[in-house]
Amino acid sequence: MNIQMITVGKLKEKYLVEGIAEYTKRLGPYAKVSIVEVPDEKTPETLSAAEEAQVKQREGERILAKVNEGAFVIALAIDGKPLSSEDLARQLQDLATYGRSSVAFIIGGSLGLAPEVLARADLKLSFGRMTLPHQLMRLVLVEQVYRAFRIMRGEPYHK
């Protein structure tokens, strides 16, 4: 399976970089994983609704340009569908079974995702109603994808 994680902004925190590298390495036997960072828009503290929409649109264009053709797109969104770890494992297993071996997970920037990106998504996935920093979400996502592959293979993993 080819897993693409498209994210907005550059990751700077060493502890997050190291954690993501560790889980990406662990995923090696199960899937080909690529993490694609697209530049974020510089945003002042206060933005009008129109300026916010422009920022999301520009970031959204960059995101969509990186999605592999034919990929099943899973956009992370607070208002998306909440899945358990087992549900995510089943979703990925079903995709692989039915020939959808290219999956793109998308994590937006600090303002969220553009409507065009959400419209392109085959699934909007929520990790809960809490707002998390998008940089931290990368680590959470890669860990959950690793966990999903362990579940799919019937391998032990801490519950």
Side-chain angles (χ1 to χ4, degrees):
M1 186 166 251
N2 291 308
I3 304 287
Q4 187 182 32
M5 295 182 187
I6 304 170
T7 66
V8 174
K10 192 138 186 75
L11 197 58
K12 299 172 188 92
E13 293 83 358
K14 184 179 177 186
Y15 72 98
L16 292 173
V17 171
E18 290 173 351
I20 291 166
E22 176 62 28
Y23 281 108
T24 301
K25 182 177 88 177
R26 290 182 188 189
L27 271 165
Y30 305 107
K32 181 181 177 218
V33 178
S34 63
I35 298 176
V36 179
E37 293 179 336
V38 300
D40 57 345
E41 287 289 313
K42 302 301 175 219
T43 56
E45 284 296 316
T46 57
L47 292 175
S48 69
E51 290 170 323
E52 200 172 294
Q54 282 182 328
V55 167
K56 290 198 294 190
Q57 180 192 4
R58 286 193 288 266
E59 290 175 350
E61 289 168 357
R62 292 181 193 132
I63 289 168
L64 292 174
K66 298 295 183 180
V67 174
N68 290 337
E69 190 173 325
F72 185 90
V73 175
I74 301 174
L76 275 60
I78 287 176
D79 65 344
K81 181 178 183 181
L83 297 179
S84 68
S85 297
E86 292 80 8
D87 291 338
L88 179 60
R90 272 190 293 281
Q91 177 74 50
L92 293 175
Q93 182 69 54
D94 288 349
L95 289 170
T97 299
Y98 296 105
R100 302 291 303 269
S101 61
S102 179
V103 177
F105 288 93
I106 298 176
I107 300 174
S110 59
L111 299 177
L113 291 167
E116 296 82 6
V117 175
L118 294 171
R120 170 60 181 89
D122 297 293
L123 172 66
K124 288 189 283 184
L125 175 62
S126 174
F127 278 79
R129 303 291 304 157
M130 297 176 122
T131 301
L132 296 173
H134 56 281
Q135 299 93 340
L136 179 59
M137 200 62 238
R138 294 186 200 190
L139 178 58
V140 173
L141 175 62
V142 74
E143 187 280 334
Q144 283 298 302
V145 171
Y146 172 68
R147 184 182 297 262
F149 277 97
R150 299 283 295 193
I151 291 168
M152 282 190 282
R153 300 280 173 86
E155 298 171 354
Y157 197 80
H158 179 71
K159 295 183 181 195

